[in-house]
Amino acid sequence: MADAAEHGGADGHAGVIGGSGADGGRLGAARLLLWALAAVLGVRQAAAVLSVPPGEWLSGLHLPGAPGGLPGTLYDAGRFTGTPFAGLVLKPLVGLATPSLEVAWTCVTLLSVAAIGLVAARGLPDPVPRRTALLAAPVLVALMMVSLPVREAASPGQAAVLPVLLVLLAFFRVPGECPAGFLVGLAAALQPALLLFAPLLWLTGRRPTAQAAALTFAGATALSWASLPRDSWTYWVEHLAGSGLGGAPDGPANQSLHGALLRLGLSGPTEIFLYAALAAAVACVGLRRAARYARDGQLLLAVAVTGCVAVAVSPDGWRHQMLWVLLAVAGRVGERAADRRVWPVAVVLAMTLPSAVLLPNMAALAPVRDNVPLLAALAAACAVPFLPRSSPYWREPVPTLYGRPAATRFPRVPLLPFWRKALSRPNLLLELLLIRVGYSLYSHIRAAAPASRSVAEANGGRIHAIEQALGIDIERAVNRAVADTPWLEAFFNFYYTSFHFVVPLAVLAALYRRSPGDYRWARASLGLATVIALAGFWLYPLAPPRLMPDLGFVDTVHGVQDLANPSYGAMTAISNQYAAMPSLHFGWSLWCGTVIVVLAPRGWQKLLGALHPLITVCAIVATANHWVLDAVGGALVVGAGFGLVHVLSGPRGVQVSLPLPGQRAEAEAEAGRPLRAPARSGRA
């Protein structure tokens, strides 16, 4: 274990940090920019904490004697979540000057986050690529600054960052068995579940360190019993290591196995027995995996896995204690290069975004949505198949197939150097994650776009006047004709509400299965078109015909709307009703039609693809949800999406760049077809 720590410690990267020339200069500039970004995010976090009034901030410690706190013991109010030892350490702080304590607490917390990033980056297992060695620390610090654990840990009374730093220092920076054990024991005195690091030390041959950790924890706990006997009894006996303190144990903030079982409706002896069995199984599996990774030279991963186990099996595993999951990105997963990004991306999304962004608000998904951090911790501890360093794919995964680079079409618009045309199939889980998160962000941005009723109605009047001048103001006549024909109204209502998402997802699924290269081309064009449309929603709020007073339109989809009521009923709470220009209902259908017409092998398929945008434009006009010019705007943004992909990454059809001979069979399997030698023209 000591050899592994040295291998991944301060001297482990000596041979990869150096370098000179243009590449070294670019890496240095990138490193400075990333550190600047991390500093900006840290200042932003500090400003958010320091904006709390000093008296209110100190009352957030929930300590006796603090402003807003109750006299008596630590746990009289039931809101202090720390151990009695933590309360013993924090109690003297109440007498300090409030503004100074607030500033000092915030600075120490954020500096501890930076120190965690530095220590963890130096703990990566060798061999470490030079780029990774230089950029790992600022990237990790920036990610931690925006993560949910750090955002919550910076609040008053939360000391979850300090135990993480103590453990990392013990494993990577502090020489000697007893000092390292002392730091681990001190961390466990602040968070008892971290005592699981003692078995990890024991299993990996560092028995003196494990004994020192256990003795330190026992000494700190005994000191708190002697100084605060009533508080110690309350914490350890009445609340079983703090369970239920600081909030309801079944609340979403408790991301532990105990909290998850309570949220599922279990209680009483059944829940306790099941929790004990699951906690024992997770601890056994996780510690065995951690010991194996430590012996393999992946000490940082072993520490992260043990930390994930500790949070999961603790009676109260709060979100601000989940920083261990971010450290688990040190593990490598997947034999293909295309699969290597899945685990890091999933961890970053789970630790930085609210669960509502990751999963839709559906009752069937509530057990998953309410436990995303816990599931990430359990996956790291027990399920994710991290590669051993002895694997042939550790350093050289199966490469991704790329098309031959295309020449730029405009001298002043160079192709993006990082936008290489991958032809092999991307990882499905990664694609689903990015599609879900991308759509959720799109929905939030669309809903947050300016929605002034007066401005939107004024713009609607202008659009109507322009259409009258052009002689294309057919919306009211079509709407009335459809509203007076029940079967036609039912057809267009069904088409409007049913095919907007189904058809694009079906097209993407078919391309993903049959033509991965074309899938990437189509996906990129759709994403760019959607981003451009968001600018239209922000810059030009527009009332659709159904929300224009005095024009006599019938809202066939949503029913009668009370136009005298600015909220227009429940629909306004669902989405921004004035995000109508451009029409993505038509834009996405036009994208589907274009992709099908270009790529479908049979004539009847091309015909169906061409009919879809035609029927969609009839539906959006007939149901009074869009003006004709909204469809024109949708066509423009889709054309811009296809055009940008062509300008920035080259034409759709390019020749495959063949892999190394030994990887030909795997590459052919990924491409779904035999690979031929590159044509001289550079085209397929």
Side-chain angles (χ1 to χ4, degrees), residues 422-423 508 511-512 514-525 591 595 598-599 652-653:
L423 303 179
L508 287 173
L511 291 178
Y512 180 87
R514 297 179 177 274
S515 183
D518 290 329
Y519 166 81
R520 295 176 185 269
W521 163 75
R523 177 200 58 186
S525 61
W591 173 87
V595 171
V598 170
L599 299 177
R652 181 183 62 83

Side-chain angles (χ1 to χ4, degrees), residues 427-472:
N427 184 279
L428 179 59
L429 178 59
L430 180 60
E431 292 297 301
L432 293 176
L433 278 173
L434 294 180
I435 289 174
R436 167 58 199 170
V437 172
Y439 179 74
S440 182
L441 293 177
Y442 155 76
S443 300
H444 281 78
I445 295 173
R446 184 180 187 269
S452 170
R453 178 182 180 181
S454 59
V455 173
E457 290 180 356
N459 288 335
R462 294 187 186 96
I463 291 292
H464 189 219
I466 293 174
E467 290 187 350
Q468 286 178 323
L470 297 175
I472 58 173

Side-chain angles (χ1 to χ4, degrees), residues 183-591:
L183 292 182
V184 173
L186 193 61
L190 297 173
Q191 289 182 18
L194 299 185
L195 193 60
L196 285 174
F197 280 100
L200 174 65
L201 293 167
W202 188 275
L203 291 172
T204 52
R206 297 183 63 181
R207 296 188 176 184
T209 308
Q211 292 171 351
L215 289 175
T216 302
F217 171 76
T221 304
L223 177 62
S224 62
W225 271 95
S227 303
L228 303 170
R230 181 181 171 187
D231 289 324
S232 297
W233 176 268
T234 301
Y235 182 87
W236 292 107
V237 179
E238 293 182 2
H239 283 274
L240 298 176
S243 178
L245 292 173
D250 60 346
N254 182 13
Q255 290 294 312
S256 68
L257 287 169
H258 179 50
L261 293 175
L262 292 175
R263 284 190 290 275
L264 290 175
L266 299 176
S267 61
T270 302
E271 188 274 330
I272 295 175
F273 176 79
L274 186 57
Y275 161 62
L278 290 175
V282 170
C284 180
V285 174
L287 287 176
R288 287 171 62 89
R289 280 164 49 96
R292 184 169 68 250
Y293 297 135
R295 288 190 290 266
D296 188 52
Q298 301 186 65
L299 184 54
L300 179 59
L301 178 59
V303 171
V305 167
T306 307
C308 291
V309 172
V311 177
V313 304
S314 174
D316 286 321
W318 304 109
R319 279 194 298 256
H320 60 268
Q321 299 172 349
M322 287 285 179
L323 204 55
W324 302 105
V325 182
L326 267 179
L327 298 180
V329 298
R332 299 185 185 183
V333 184
E335 298 177 354
R336 302 188 314 160
D339 298 333
R340 285 291 172 86
R341 300 184 183 92
V342 179
W343 173 243
V345 169
V347 167
V348 170
L349 293 179
M351 290 295 103
T352 57
L353 296 179
S355 300
V357 175
L358 300 175
L359 293 169
N361 188 19
M362 299 171 57
L365 296 177
V368 177
R369 188 179 60 251
D370 294 342
N371 299 293
V372 168
L374 170 63
L375 294 175
L378 290 175
C382 304
V384 177
F386 297 110
L387 291 175
R389 296 175 67 204
S390 59
S391 170
Y393 302 104
W394 170 265
R395 297 188 64 180
E396 295 183 3
V398 177
T400 299
L401 293 176
Y402 291 101
R404 177 175 293 180
T408 180
R409 281 145 302 286
F410 303 103
R412 298 183 182 276
V413 184
L415 298 178
L416 295 180
F418 59 84
W419 197 329
R420 295 185 297 169
K421 303 192 67 154
L423 303 179
S424 58
R425 185 172 292 109
N427 184 279
L428 179 59
L429 178 59
L430 180 60
E431 292 297 301
L432 293 176
L433 278 173
L434 294 180
I435 289 174
R436 167 58 199 170
V437 172
Y439 179 74
S440 182
L441 293 177
Y442 155 76
S443 300
H444 281 78
I445 295 173
R446 184 180 187 269
S452 170
R453 178 182 180 181
S454 59
V455 173
E457 290 180 356
N459 288 335
R462 294 187 186 96
I463 291 292
H464 189 219
I466 293 174
E467 290 187 350
Q468 286 178 323
L470 297 175
I472 58 173
D473 56 326
I474 61 173
E475 293 89 356
R476 189 174 185 280
V478 173
N479 175 244
R480 284 294 182 179
V482 169
D484 293 337
T485 310
W487 69 268
L488 201 56
E489 178 184 1
F491 170 76
F492 281 124
N493 287 350
F494 175 78
Y495 206 94
Y496 178 84
T497 56
S498 302
F499 290 90
H500 182 42
F501 298 110
V502 172
V503 178
L505 290 176
V507 170
L508 287 173
L511 291 178
Y512 180 87
R513 176 66 182 88
R514 297 179 177 274
S515 183
D518 290 329
Y519 166 81
R520 295 176 185 269
W521 163 75
R523 177 200 58 186
S525 61
L526 179 63
L528 287 173
T530 303
V531 171
I532 296 171
L534 286 175
F537 299 153
W538 275 87
L539 298 175
Y540 200 78
L542 175 66
R546 64 183 180 86
L547 295 183
M548 286 293 291
D550 305 326
L551 293 185
F553 286 96
V554 177
D555 189 343
T556 63
V557 175
H558 307 108
V560 178
Q561 298 291 303
D562 181 10
L563 298 184
N565 180 1
S567 67
Y568 296 140
M571 288 305 300
T572 305
I574 298 176
S575 64
N576 184 354
Q577 301 300 292
Y578 298 137
M581 172 63 80
S583 168
L584 282 185
H585 240 91
F586 176 72
W588 287 2
S589 69
L590 180 62
W591 173 87

Side-chain angles (χ1 to χ4, degrees), residues 99-150:
S100 302
L101 177 59
E102 183 182 11
V103 173
W105 185 287
T106 303
C107 291
V108 169
T109 299
L110 297 181
L111 289 176
S112 298
V113 172
I116 289 172
L118 289 169
V119 176
R122 302 295 293 181
L124 293 172
D126 287 338
V128 180
R130 180 167 173 267
R131 182 187 301 272
T132 302
L134 285 172
L135 304 182
V139 168
L140 182 57
V141 173
L143 287 176
M144 287 192 294
M145 288 296 181
V146 298
S147 68
L148 297 174
V150 169

